[in-house]
Amino acid sequence: MLILDKPYISKFLENTIVEMELPVLKNDAIKEFGLTNDIDYLKDEEFIRKFKENEEFFIYSNSENPINWIANNLSFTDLPEKINIFKDKVEFRKLLKDIYPNFFYKEISFSELEEIDITEIRKPFIIKPSIGFFSMGVYKVNSVDEWGNVVKELKREVKRMKGKYPIEVIDSSKFIIEENIGGEEFAIDVYYNDLGEPVILNIFKHIFSSGEDVSDRVYITSKEIIENYYSLFLDFLSQMGNLVNLCNFPMHVEFRVDKDKQVTPIEVNPMRFAGWCTTDIAYYAYGINVYEYFFKQKEPNWEEILKDKEDKIYSIVVADLPGDIKINNIEGINYEGFVSHFENPLEIRKIDYREHAVFAFLFTETNRDNWQELEEILNSDLKEYIKLKE
């Protein structure tokens, strides 16, 4: 069963729902997105009744917006409790305290930002909303001198975020300060099957333009990445699953891995895979329909899948607007020029930049010896693709 919501529903997901004849909750988002009538839509009462009656049903959501609906309507299950453990970053750190006993974190309220004494906190540290999404409101603080500017920027960003997402997705009233986690950043799509075993469906490496960059511009996946990190992540996921007794539960998990191959989780996003349906890249890269794998309890045969992928890199490129351009000054986007930068673009998904400050998500395939094309887009401000009003 599915609960669909903003910000985005891909045609790939819609087609999968029709092909698999999956029931979908009939909510306001369905009307806004204008999805096909070939889907089996269920009103609230029918959705709840079917879920109660059939233990074989389990839920996937493309978004975290329905978390409040789940809390209010599925309280007879353990879903709300499990979602909260992962969605609230403070609760998540409490869950892992026995695995990471020396990890520093501290919860503060928005009103305490200007009052807290950060001289006693080891730097660098990260501050972000305790309940958050994407890289919104995430800042790295390297010194006491930077704190004043970070607070100002945080306040501006909180003002911009207000009203764009439900409080269950982004709660700007509470923040967490935690130690900076060193190493390279990764994200994975995984579900726990009916035996409580984690099944990894994709592994992404989040690449950055610099040590200060916290943007979501480029995520890559490849044979090398999956083969090098699969066992590491599977070990941690097995430990975490035992702590919460997870079954039939999808999630998107972010990690850092240091030079000694020590794995530290950054956060868990419950009930979904990679946001904005970017999880679909698993199909373009590896032929894995993650929704089908979850609902049919399928497990990838990675040895077979990866055997012809030696020199290929698959990327998600998030084309976000530069912060110094006012949306009202934009006349249009040169999508053709943007796509032409890449040697083998697989799919371009145009986004309403006036609402989301992102003009596209792009899936692309790059030969390993053409890494430069990813470096260039990673460091670009993308202004060359934005036409401004005269």
Side-chain angles (χ1 to χ4, degrees), residues 314-329:
Y314 298 91
S315 304
I316 303 167
V317 179
V318 183
D320 52 326
L321 294 179
D324 60 348
I325 289 183
K326 293 182 179 178
I327 291 174
N328 291 337
N329 291 339

Side-chain angles (χ1 to χ4, degrees), residues 58-72:
F58 35 96
I59 294 176
Y60 177 84
S61 178
N62 67 309
S63 163
E64 292 174 29
N65 289 10
I67 286 175
N68 187 50
W69 188 92
I70 292 172
N72 291 334

Side-chain angles (χ1 to χ4, degrees), residues 135-332:
S135 293
M136 296 177 181
V138 179
Y139 290 87
K140 183 178 180 181
V141 180
N142 294 292
S143 67
V144 174
D145 293 339
E146 291 180 3
W147 180 242
N149 286 332
V150 167
V151 171
K152 286 179 185 176
E153 285 300 317
L154 260 178
K155 288 187 173 182
R156 289 195 194 102
E157 192 162 1
V158 164
K159 192 174 181 180
R160 288 197 301 268
M161 287 191 295
K162 217 165 190 179
K164 286 194 173 184
Y165 296 92
I167 196 168
E168 295 81 17
V169 178
I170 295 179
D171 183 359
S172 56
S173 66
K174 295 192 305 178
F175 286 80
I176 182 171
I177 289 176
E178 61 182 31
E179 67 179 75
N180 182 60
I181 303 170
E184 297 181 305
E185 184 172 315
F186 296 83
I188 68 167
D189 288 335
V190 59
Y191 75 88
Y192 287 81
N193 62 22
D194 54 5
L195 299 175
E197 300 165 340
V199 177
I200 294 175
L201 299 177
N202 206 354
I203 300 176
F204 311 88
K205 184 176 181 180
H206 187 182
I207 60 175
F208 299 93
S209 60
S210 70
E212 305 308 311
D213 183 15
V214 293
S215 72
D216 291 293
R217 176 64 60 80
V218 180
Y219 291 82
I220 63 173
T221 182
S222 68
K223 173 179 179 170
E224 181 184 24
I225 288 169
I226 290 172
E227 289 182 341
N228 287 348
Y229 294 95
Y230 179 86
S231 296
L232 274 179
F233 295 141
L234 196 67
D235 288 345
F236 168 80
L237 291 165
S238 297
Q239 289 184 67
M240 186 176 74
N242 292 333
L243 293 174
V244 196
N245 189 28
L246 296 169
C247 289
N248 301 323
F249 197 89
M251 59 174 61
H252 180 72
V253 190
E254 297 176 8
F255 293 96
R256 289 261 184 183
V257 180
D258 67 19
K259 63 182 187 312
D260 298 319
K261 292 292 181 77
Q262 294 297 309
V263 174
T264 306
I266 301 170
E267 63 184 44
V268 172
N269 300 282
M271 303 304 296
R272 66 169 177 87
F273 299 135
W276 286 79
C277 291
T278 54
T279 186
D280 298 353
I281 196 174
Y283 182 79
Y284 293 87
Y286 306 123
I288 295 172
N289 183 328
V290 297
Y291 315 111
E292 179 187 359
Y293 271 60
F294 171 56
F295 284 113
K296 290 187 176 180
Q297 300 272 291
K298 293 170 66 176
E299 187 168 346
N301 180 344
W302 284 113
E303 184 177 353
E304 182 68 22
I305 289 169
L306 297 175
K307 67 180 181 181
D308 296 322
K309 300 291 184 179
E310 194 69 49
D311 298 316
K312 302 297 182 183
I313 298 170
Y314 298 91
S315 304
I316 303 167
V317 179
V318 183
D320 52 326
L321 294 179
D324 60 348
I325 289 183
K326 293 182 179 178
I327 291 174
N328 291 337
N329 291 339
I330 298 175
E331 184 174 305

Side-chain angles (χ1 to χ4, degrees), residues 1-3 23 42 44-60 69-70 73-80 248 271:
M1 304 175 78
L2 288 103
I3 307 177
L42 305 179
D44 287 26
E45 299 79 8
E46 190 178 5
F47 189 98
I48 295 164
R49 178 180 59 79
K50 282 199 171 188
F51 192 66
K52 275 184 176 179
E53 292 175 353
N54 196 330
E55 292 182 0
E56 294 181 1
F57 280 146
F58 35 96
I59 294 176
Y60 177 84
W69 188 92
I70 292 172
N73 294 280
L74 302 181
S75 57
F76 57 90
T77 73
D78 59 3
L79 278 178
N248 301 323
M271 303 304 296

Side-chain angles (χ1 to χ4, degrees), residues 4-9 28-35 62:
L4 304 179
D5 213 319
K6 295 179 179 179
Y8 185 81
I9 300 169
D28 292 338
I30 298 300
K31 301 172 190 174
E32 288 190 42
F33 282 106
L35 300 185
N62 67 309

